[in-house]
């Protein structure tokens, strides 16, 4: 009988682990709009326990914005992803980095601190959900989020996390970036794991290369022109979600 | 009738002569006007807005067009 006790214990724990892994995940589907880039994408957030994976779809080419002479960027079929784990504190994302005139996928462990949300007393109903409001600042932008505690999902799309319920919508104060929840599904066999199919790159290198690439691009443009050509008025704005990486790279 | 014939011959020979003059005349030379060539290119690179104005002085209209084409070529997206 004594010999049986450890076996029973092992079997019970295996059963518990199995039951845990079988717990269904929630799939929250958002649309993401980036007004400056005339960009709209589908964004899928899969959440289970304290772990989530956000995946951005390809850009919706039906959206036409202001005419541009060029729109240079790059991505593959897998696109951008963000993995978050609130237990380990990990934020690991997949993005594209300019390298040798190409855009290559990379995996970056983001050392970001948890977002510091300020809660307001504002409430409103969005669809069937009673929503509360909270705001935060992150890497150069101010965000307003509307979340509902009716859906127990503590992660939002992209790098948002730390609210006591699912984000129904979140947008920048200038409304240049907007995530809106479209639908929720339950998934039985969802796999949530960090992206791993690209070259790992340190966050500092990622930021430096991203910034350097713009200078390289302008230099490439200048080199294509004859001697004596003058390039002026290089004004740059930034349509990316993150515009200030001073928490990562000191200047 | 004789007067009419003389007039026709005069007109025909006159026309032929003027055509010959036109063919033998040296080609007209046009002096190229050189000026400043300024054009702007606007767009985004990896989500960053880039607005540049390019100015080249003392160029012809043809050279200006070639430069615009060269700038566009430089702006071709990198291969994936």
């Amino acid at each position: 009988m004594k010999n049986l006790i450890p076996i029973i214990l092992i079997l019970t724990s295996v059963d518990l682990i199995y039951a845990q892994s079988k717990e269904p995940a929630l799939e929250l589907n958002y649309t993401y709009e980036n007004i400056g880039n005339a960009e709209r994408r589908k964004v899928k957030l899969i959440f289970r326990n304290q772990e989530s994976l956000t995946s951005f779809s390809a850009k919706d080419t039906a959206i036409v914005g202001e005419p541009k002479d060029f729109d240079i960027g790059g991505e593959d079929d897998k696109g951008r992803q963000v993995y978050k784990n609130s237990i380990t504190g990990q934020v690991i994302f997949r993005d594209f980095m300019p390298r040798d005139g190409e855009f290559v996928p990379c995996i970056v462990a983001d050392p970001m601190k948890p977002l510091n949300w300020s809660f307001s007393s504002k409430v409103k109903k969005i669809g069937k959900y009673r929503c509360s409001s909270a705001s935060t600042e992150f890497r150069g932008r101010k965000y307003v989020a509307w979340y509902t505690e009716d859906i127990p999902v503590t992660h939002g799309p992209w790098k948002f996390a730390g609210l006591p319920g699912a984000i129904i919508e979140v947008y920048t104060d200038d409304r240049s970036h907007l995530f809106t929840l479209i639908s929720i599904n339950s998934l039985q066999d969802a796999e949530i794991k960090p992206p791993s199919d690209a070259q790992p790159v340190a966050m500092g290198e990622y930021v430096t290369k991203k910034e350097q690439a713009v200078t390289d691009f302008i230099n490439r443009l200048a080199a294509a022109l004859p001697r004596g050509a003058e390039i002026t008025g290089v004004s740059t704005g930034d349509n990316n979600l993150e515009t200030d990486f001073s928490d990562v790279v000191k200047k | 009738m004789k007067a009419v014939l003389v007039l026709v011959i005069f007109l025909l020979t006159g026309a032929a002569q003027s055509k010959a003059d036109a063919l033998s005349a040296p080609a007209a030379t046009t002096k190229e006007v050189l000026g400043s060539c300024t054009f702007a290119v606007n767009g985004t690179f990896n989500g960053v807005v880039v607005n540049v104005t390019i100015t080249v002085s003392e160029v012809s209209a043809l050279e200006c067009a070639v430069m615009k084409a060269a700038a566009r070529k430089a702006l071709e997206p990198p291969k994936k």
Side-chain angles (χ1 to χ4, degrees), chain B residues 1-2 8-9 12 23 30 32 41 50-51 60 65 68-69 71 77:
Chain B
M1 183 66 190
K2 197 177 178 182
V8 168
I9 290 166
L12 283 173
L23 287 171
T30 52
E32 272 190 322
V41 283
V50 179
N51 300 316
S60 68
K68 284 180 192 174

Side-chain angles (χ1 to χ4, degrees), chain A residues 49-89:
Chain A
N49 297 328
Q50 297 299 310
E51 211 178 10
S52 71
L53 182 68
T54 299
S55 305
F56 288 77
S57 75
K59 189 173 171 177
D60 183 345
T61 50
I63 309 301
V64 180
E66 293 284 310
K68 293 175 190 169
D69 295 314
F70 58 94
D71 182 6
I72 298 170
E75 55 191 271
D76 59 14
D77 294 340
K78 207 151 197 182
R80 286 187 284 154
Q81 296 178 321
V82 181
Y83 167 85
K84 301 189 289 284
N85 186 322
S86 299
I87 297 166
T88 60

